[in-house]
Amino acid sequence: MFESSRWWRSAAIYQVYPRSFADANGDGIGDLAGVRSRLGYLRDLGVDAIWFSPWYPSPMADAGYDVADYRDIDPAFGTLAEAEELIAQAHALGLRVIIDIVPNHCSDAHPWFREAVAAGPGSAARELFWFRDGRGEHGELPPNNWTSIFGGPAWTRVPDGQWYLHLFAPQQPDLNWGNTKVREEFEDILRFWFDRGVDGVRIDSAALCTKDPELRDLPESGEPEVPHPYSDRDETHEIYRGWRRIADSYIPQRALIGEIWLPDTERFVMYLRPDELHTAFNFDLLAAPWDATAFHASIDATLAAHAPVGAPATWVLSNHDVFRHVTRYGRQDTSFTHDHDHRRRQTGAPTDVALGTRRARAAVLLSLALPGSAYVYQGEELGLGEVEDIPDHQRQDPLFARTGGANPGRDGCRVPLPWSGDEPPFGFSPPDAIAPPWLPQPASWRSLTVEAQQGDPDSMLELYRSALHIRRGLPALGDGSMRWLVSPPDVLAFERAPHFVCVLNMSTVDVPLPEHESVLIASVPLRDGLLPPDAAVWLRTS
Ligand code: NOJ
Ligand code: CA
């Protein structure tokens, strides 16, 4: 069934966000039975692998990124036996399976943390986390000035007066990676899932795991500290060297994929040295505004940085943490950052959905044509936009509550998928469901269901299907190299051997195409042989 043992170098990988993919038992929450019933859809879409956001038992304080047990499945999603079935079923359909591993922190409901709180100061159990006495006369102030990435202090006090560190929500205590027991535990967790046939892991917050043992304050202003006390510290690499040895001990070799947000591409690719991770999400293009110079520079910087370590690049347009790109590309400001103010300003900013959709069609032809692997976040193949009118009381993302609503959070890209029918739940849940979808679906999604789009050659879904199928059949695409072609202003054109050219027109005028034998696929119809603005095309050349 599977051809290449180095599949991660070229794969098109579909991200399933289990809560929002398909709900088989009608409780309004997606589940593994729902995924299993839709595996045929993913095979037909033409992706090579599925990455599952966390499916473990969790109080869901951060939608499952707060893991209480790394070796089981949350009862809302199903059982371990069902996960094993799902892996086998996916493999039988030719789909590889990647799961999310969350090493920086666990849940406050994890037995280790419960034990640590109960065991008290100075105990071995507390050594697995970052417990410290507070500052101030009575220890009433946090041990240092770090703030949580979700807003507020990065420290929470327990009843005996000590504080513990959490770079994210208080329900996500950071693990102490200086402790051998933590390292051994995660190596064992990797083996647990690799033994069950999982083909690779996506490593959450991969650059944050190790901390300055002195827990030094961050400078109040000015340049970020180097080395930073908790981000991208040199010791982190040793963790992944150990993981790589484990991944390499399996046949076929398992893949390690890092979630690494670092502005410095040189530092970023250090994680991709031959004895570390296989690939990492490249968020640079995702953050770039819709602008030919910015895209060109981002692609060049990405490829140049990856080349010396011999790792393939990855291309990502959306995921469960960022604004859906249909919406982003229809706004005045088409860039993305995690900055709280930026997200607040962007939420609800006017967006031209038709323009965003048109650009999203062009963008996917670009991302699937660039050298390396590419990610598709569930729903982008349907052209879903960010849902921006979720009532406050229904918002679940801790970012919303932790910032007092200043940051509306990430719920808008996590709304359950529309599969069929004219009204919510749009086939996400069965007709006899006992609860509505966990986040409300917009009525306007009736025209974006899978049912409404399949078979319509002009739909986003059929564009993705065609492009993914063409990509799979073309030796020029996936891993390899590319060469820029001379092109009109604000037009990106590159060729890949053998016989392939991609052109993306980011200008405001129709542009001529390079010489070609045939058009493989275009994001919009050509006009008299010219490529219109905000459109892309794949060409077969002689
Ligand atoms: C990155 C994940 O993608 C995000 O959803 C999560 O909130 C943080 N890591 C914390 O685990
Ligand atoms: Ca369910």
Side-chain angles (χ1 to χ4, degrees):
M1 196 84 231
F2 294 123
E3 281 151 28
S4 156
S5 62
R6 303 209 305 162
W7 55 275
W8 56 83
R9 297 189 68 92
S10 295
I13 300 166
Y14 187 94
Q15 179 186 358
V16 166
Y17 194 73
R19 289 183 80 73
S20 301
F21 188 71
D23 165 31
N25 69 352
D27 64 356
I29 298 171
D31 45 48
L32 299 192
V35 177
R36 288 175 61 193
S37 71
R38 305 280 184 184
L39 280 178
Y41 168 79
L42 296 179
R43 180 208 44 210
D44 295 346
L45 186 60
V47 293
D48 305 302
I50 312 170
W51 149 36
F52 290 94
S53 281
W55 57 13
Y56 313 104
S58 165
M60 303 287 167
D62 183 22
Y65 283 95
D66 47 322
V67 181
D69 178 354
Y70 291 84
R71 295 182 184 80
D72 206 349
I73 299 294
D74 192 89
F77 296 148
T79 62
L80 182 59
E82 262 184 291
E84 289 171 347
E85 267 294 305
L86 170 52
I87 295 165
Q89 218 178 319
H91 284 170
L93 293 175
L95 296 163
R96 289 193 162 85
V97 174
I98 298 162
I99 61 164
D100 222 307
I101 291 282
V102 187
N104 177 66
H105 46 267
C106 58
S107 160
D108 61 352
H110 191 287
W112 277 10
F113 188 74
R114 293 207 159 140
E115 195 189 329
V117 173
S123 59
R126 285 208 174 176
E127 282 303 308
L128 303 179
F129 298 90
W130 293 98
F131 278 90
R132 289 292 184 275
D133 293 331
R135 290 179 181 175
E137 207 181 324
H138 307 289
E140 70 282 9
L141 299 172
N144 72 17
N145 69 353
W146 300 359
T147 53
S148 150
I149 292 163
F150 288 164
W155 295 91
T156 291
R157 208 168 186 194
V158 294
D160 57 46
Q162 278 208 315
W163 300 73
Y164 67 89
L165 173 70
H166 52 86
L167 290 182
F168 294 93
Q171 298 90 339
Q172 294 167 294
D174 279 45
L175 289 157
N176 173 9
W177 276 87
N179 189 293
T180 316
K181 196 170 165 193
V182 172
R183 289 176 187 247
E184 288 171 355
E185 173 71 354
F186 274 87
E187 294 192 350
D188 194 66
I189 292 164
L190 285 184
R191 289 195 192 92
F192 178 89
W193 289 105
F194 290 161
D195 288 345
R196 280 165 180 72
V198 159
D199 301 280
V201 292
R202 177 264 189 193
I203 306 163
D204 186 73
S205 304
L208 298 181
C209 293
T210 63
K211 315 285 180 319
D212 168 11
E214 311 272 315
L215 299 171
R216 267 176 273 256
D217 275 341
L218 278 165
E220 292 293 341
S221 61
E223 287 298 296
E225 199 88 320
V226 178
H228 191 279
Y230 63 74
S231 175
D232 185 34
R233 294 177 62 79
D234 288 341
E235 311 90 270
T236 318
H237 294 280
E238 202 41 52
I239 301 174
Y240 302 130
R241 290 198 185 100
W243 289 23
R244 180 61 178 258
R245 287 192 285 274
I246 294 171
D248 285 354
S249 71
Y250 282 80
I251 299 173
Q253 188 189 34
R254 307 305 202 243
L256 304 175
I257 302 162
E259 189 223 10
I260 300 173
W261 292 84
L262 286 181
D264 180 341
T265 38
E266 307 291 323
R267 294 288 305 180
F268 171 87
V269 296
M270 286 176 71
Y271 291 85
L272 304 178
R273 289 175 292 193
D275 59 347
E276 298 192 43
L277 309 181
H278 297 86
T279 68
F281 295 98
N282 156 33
F283 294 119
D284 200 65
L285 189 72
L286 179 155
W290 187 261
D291 171 82
T293 309
F295 267 44
H296 194 295
S298 173
I299 293 165
D300 273 350
T302 299
L303 296 177
H306 283 72
V309 291
T314 65
W315 306 100
V316 187
L317 297 170
S318 275
N319 67 29
H320 65 294
D321 292 329
V322 309
F323 285 116
R324 283 195 177 273
H325 61 274
V326 159
T327 303
R328 188 156 41 88
Y329 287 151
R331 294 208 211 275
Q332 186 75 33
D333 179 352
T334 47
S335 69
F336 178 81
T337 86
H338 277 298
D339 178 75
H340 294 311
D341 281 341
H342 188 257
R343 193 183 272 274
R344 181 179 47 75
R345 280 197 309 276
Q346 287 290 75
T347 300
T351 186
D352 178 339
V353 176
L355 178 65
T357 302
R358 181 181 174 93
R359 288 175 170 172
R361 294 175 65 88
V364 70
L365 292 191
L366 173 74
S367 75
L368 293 178
L370 288 167
S373 66
Y375 286 82
V376 174
Y377 173 49
Q378 67 175 41
E380 71 169 77
E381 81 279 19
L382 302 176
L384 303 185
E386 188 79 4
V387 180
E388 306 201 82
D389 58 357
I390 299 172
D392 286 356
H393 72 274
Q394 282 181 284
R395 290 192 180 273
Q396 314 253 341
D397 185 356
L399 256 176
F400 176 72
R402 298 267 309 162
T403 60
N407 184 333
R410 301 161 293 180
D411 294 311
C413 65
R414 300 175 175 180
V415 174
L417 292 191
W419 292 92
S420 58
D422 291 325
E423 54 186 38
F426 293 121
F428 168 71
S429 298
D432 57 351
I434 52 164
W438 68 282
L439 287 173
Q441 299 162 307
S444 60
W445 280 7
R446 73 170 63 84
S447 59
L448 297 177
T449 63
V450 172
E451 184 183 52
Q453 296 194 47
Q454 63 193 358
D456 172 358
D458 297 332
S459 69
M460 187 72 91
L461 178 58
E462 294 301 342
L463 177 79
Y464 270 72
R465 279 187 182 157
S466 302
L468 285 161
H469 284 276
I470 295 171
R471 182 182 191 270
R472 192 176 263 179
L474 281 186
L477 297 190
D479 195 18
S481 59
M482 61 169 263
R483 197 171 69 83
W484 290 112
L485 300 177
V486 175
S487 57
D490 295 323
V491 174
L492 302 183
F494 57 92
E495 89 183 339
R496 302 196 59 190
H499 313 302
F500 177 88
V501 164
C502 173
V503 185
L504 168 64
N505 181 6
M506 301 175 97
S507 80
T508 53
V509 294
D510 293 5
V511 295
L513 294 173
E515 209 171 296
H516 56 276
E517 250 178 24
S518 60
V519 172
L520 294 165
I521 188 168
S523 65
V524 297
L526 301 180
R527 273 197 289 248
D528 297 330
L530 301 178
L531 182 65
D534 295 312
V537 66
W538 289 359
L539 304 173
R540 187 185 162 83
T541 54
S542 47

